[in-house]
Amino acid sequence: MNTSGVIQLNKTSQVILIGLVVGGIIWFKMSSRGSGSSTMEVGGASVAKVTDVVVKEVKDLKVDVNGEAVIVAYRETSVDKPKMDILFLHGQAFKSLTWVSEPMWTLQHFGKLGYRTVAIDLPGFGDSPRATPDPAAFLEAVIRELKLNAPVIVSPSMSGSYSLPYLFKDTKHVLSRCRGYIPVAPVYTENYTAKQYASLQVPALVIYGEKDVTIGKVSLNNFKNLPKKTIVELEGARHPCYLDRPDEFHSHMEAFLEKIR
Ligand SMILES: *[C@@H]1O[C@H](CO)[C@@H](O)[C@H](O)[C@H]1NC(C)=O
């Protein structure tokens, strides 16, 4: 009678309690996972948003290119004792902002992993005023001015007009100028011969989109002559393949950086 009523009540409250605990656990797991690409796990333990990483923005770095002053805007994440430095260039329709915003968050991603990252606005793009410096000398000046240490260079599309002259300017010392090269279907690869590519001892991650049948295929055809390369085709991705497959793009980059460290 009375007892069964008490038991009945206890069962009900037990069910409610269990419901609350299970619900709470599910809610915690869901919310800590957050919104897809903007979050990540570090060592499988602490969970933090990559968007929490501080990005420094500079609009008026002055670099000396063969005696000519060129103004460069850039974005940067820094850490104590970086694993390596990474310099991000960009394509015609893009700018440094591309690497720090949806859907990429690339600077924050690699900043969190312990790399120093810098993305510049090439002359005439983003916040960098128009200028026509010698491309190789320009990158040399930026790298010198920002004290980047033989940075890995990520070079999509139009930025090939800077990265390729920089790499081919001094192939003998290329490793002290660039620790690794990540071309993403850059332009002008056809300006250099198979023999020139064969002499370029920089480790490369050649990455392009499956649907990029023009510049992607042309650049692949030239880069296949590099002696030290990893070739990655991103399934279903277009010319700016990183935008279509940010997570895969990052994980291939991570594996490559670990390998050349
Ligand atoms: C490639 O060749 C074209 C045509 O000669 C030239 O305009 C361009 O500056 C060259 N670019 C590079 C990166 O070598």
Side-chain angles (χ1 to χ4, degrees), residues 160-161 164-165 188 191-192:
S161 62
L164 292 168
Y188 292 138
N191 282 24
Y192 305 90

Side-chain angles (χ1 to χ4, degrees), residues 9-229:
L9 220 137
N10 277 350
K11 269 189 180 166
T12 311
S13 51
Q14 274 172 7
V15 168
I16 291 172
L17 201 69
I18 290 168
L20 283 174
V21 170
V22 171
I25 289 170
I26 291 171
W27 174 83
F28 177 76
K29 290 213 157 173
M30 301 277 279
S31 62
S32 63
R33 198 172 294 143
S35 58
S37 64
S38 69
T39 64
M40 59 183 292
E41 294 205 3
V42 177
S46 62
V47 178
K49 280 189 176 165
V50 291
T51 45
D52 291 343
V53 174
V54 175
V55 177
K56 185 172 99 175
E57 239 185 280
V58 176
K59 301 219 166 162
D60 54 359
L61 177 74
K62 200 196 250 179
V63 299
D64 178 336
V65 186
N66 300 330
E68 178 202 351
V70 177
I71 304 297
V72 184
Y74 70 96
R75 292 174 156 87
E76 165 176 30
T77 70
S78 45
V79 286
D80 285 340
K81 302 204 183 90
K83 289 178 176 174
M84 265 192 281
D85 298 347
I86 315 174
L87 175 61
F88 292 85
L89 308 179
H90 61 82
Q92 184 92 38
F94 305 99
K95 46 192 170 181
S96 64
L97 181 66
T98 311
W99 297 115
V100 301
S101 52
E102 194 96 61
M104 300 310 300
W105 316 112
T106 304
L107 259 54
Q108 294 93 327
H109 184 92
F110 286 97
K112 189 121 203 139
L113 292 176
Y115 296 92
R116 179 180 173 206
T117 70
V118 171
I120 61 169
D121 287 335
L122 289 165
F125 295 89
D127 291 313
S128 292
R130 186 165 294 280
T132 50
D134 171 77
F138 171 76
L139 281 191
E140 278 168 4
V142 167
I143 288 167
R144 190 190 329 117
E145 192 62 39
L146 291 174
K147 298 185 170 61
L148 291 165
N149 178 21
V152 170
I153 299 177
V154 180
S155 180
S157 199
M158 176 273 289
S159 68
S161 62
Y162 287 87
S163 64
L164 292 168
Y166 176 77
L167 292 175
F168 281 110
K169 184 170 175 181
D170 188 0
T171 49
K172 249 191 204 152
H173 304 106
V174 71
L175 287 176
S176 63
R177 293 159 60 79
C178 176
R179 196 108 70 96
Y181 185 44
I182 307 185
V184 190
V187 296
Y188 292 138
T189 56
E190 66 277 17
N191 282 24
Y192 305 90
T193 65
K195 204 172 154 211
Q196 282 179 293
Y197 284 102
S199 73
L200 201 59
Q201 290 294 328
V202 68
L205 170 62
V206 176
I207 186 162
Y208 64 96
E210 183 194 10
K211 290 184 180 164
D212 184 1
V213 293
T214 54
I215 308 177
K217 289 291 182 288
V218 170
S219 59
L220 176 64
N221 197 42
N222 291 303
F223 288 136
K224 70 171 194 269
N225 299 304
L226 289 171
K228 298 181 192 166
K229 76 231 169 240

Side-chain angles (χ1 to χ4, degrees), residues 229-243:
K229 76 231 169 240
T230 306
I231 294 174
V232 172
E233 180 182 272
L234 292 182
E235 204 187 318
R238 297 161 300 166
H239 179 56
C241 60
Y242 44 92
L243 289 180

